[in-house]
Structure formats: C-alpha cells, structure tokens
Amino acid sequence: MPVIKILPHAEYCPEGKTISAEPGTSICEALLANHVDIEHACDQVCACTTCHVIVREGGRSLSEMEEDEEDMLDRAWGLEPDSRLSCQALLRQQDVTVEIPKYSINHAKEGK
C-alpha cells in the first residue's frame, strides 16, 4: 500500500504526518480519511483549486493529469511545476511526499 508523507503545514498538519492509502485513492480522499482536513470547496469534482498540493516526491507514480485539472491549476495560488489538485491525483503503487501550500484562493472556510 502506498504511503503519503505530508510535510508540516501550520494549520492542517503542524508536525507533518505519514499515512497509507489504497492504490486508486485520491490524495484528497486519503488526507481527509486520516484527519488532515485539507480544503476541498468543490467537493472533489475539479471545479476549484482549494485542494492544491505540491508533489515533492513520487509525482511520476500518480495518475496522469487530465486537461480539466491542468486548466483549473492555472488558477491555483503558488503554482509550481509539480502542483496537482489532490482530488484528481490518484495513488498508484509508489510512495509520495506532498506539501500543502500556505494559502489557497478560498476567502472563507467552512467549519473554521
């Protein structure tokens, strides 16, 4: 089972975290299932960029980026070459390391 290493993020995961998830699971689903409450304003349908992550290691092992994700990513805050929408990046067999950006385009958060 692949492992996701989440780098420390002051709000969502202050000390970082390592979790496991089944292949075929999106990074967003895996984080949420393991109490890393990453934003996902569009309910994981690739209609916003609030679940944006930067894949620091293992990016080639994720599912291919489709055109709608690529188009949506252009709107993400802090876009980098290894950026993905965590709701669209599906795990395969290899481990990945992700960083949750400090900011998102969301002006208000539910439950906060």
Side-chain angles (χ1 to χ4, degrees):
M1 200 163 13
V3 169
I4 304 170
K5 179 180 179 185
I6 304 130
L7 298 176
H9 182 281
E11 183 177 351
Y12 300 116
C13 197
E15 296 176 16
K17 194 169 192 174
T18 301
I19 60 175
S20 298
E22 292 288 333
T25 304
S26 75
I27 292 174
C28 189
E29 291 170 325
L31 270 59
L32 293 171
N34 287 276
H35 312 290
V36 178
D37 296 324
I38 188 170
E39 291 184 59
H40 56 289
C42 73
D43 205 24
Q44 303 179 57
V45 297
C46 196
C48 73
T49 63
T50 59
C51 72
H52 168 225
V53 295
I54 303 161
V55 182
R56 295 296 183 200
E57 293 179 16
R60 292 180 191 259
S61 69
L62 296 170
S63 60
E64 294 284 324
M65 187 182 306
E66 295 191 16
E67 189 175 335
D68 56 345
E69 178 185 2
E70 194 171 334
D71 291 344
M72 189 57 61
L73 268 172
D74 287 339
R75 303 175 188 176
W77 183 92
L79 186 65
E80 293 191 15
D82 294 321
S83 289
R84 292 293 304 264
L85 296 181
S86 66
C87 69
Q88 300 300 300
L90 304 181
L91 296 166
R92 292 192 178 152
Q93 296 295 328
Q94 294 181 315
D95 299 347
V96 296
T97 299
V98 298
E99 178 180 349
I100 302 169
K102 185 174 182 178
Y103 301 108
S104 81
I105 63 165
N106 211 11
H107 295 287
K109 299 178 189 177
E110 291 184 31
K112 299 271 179 186

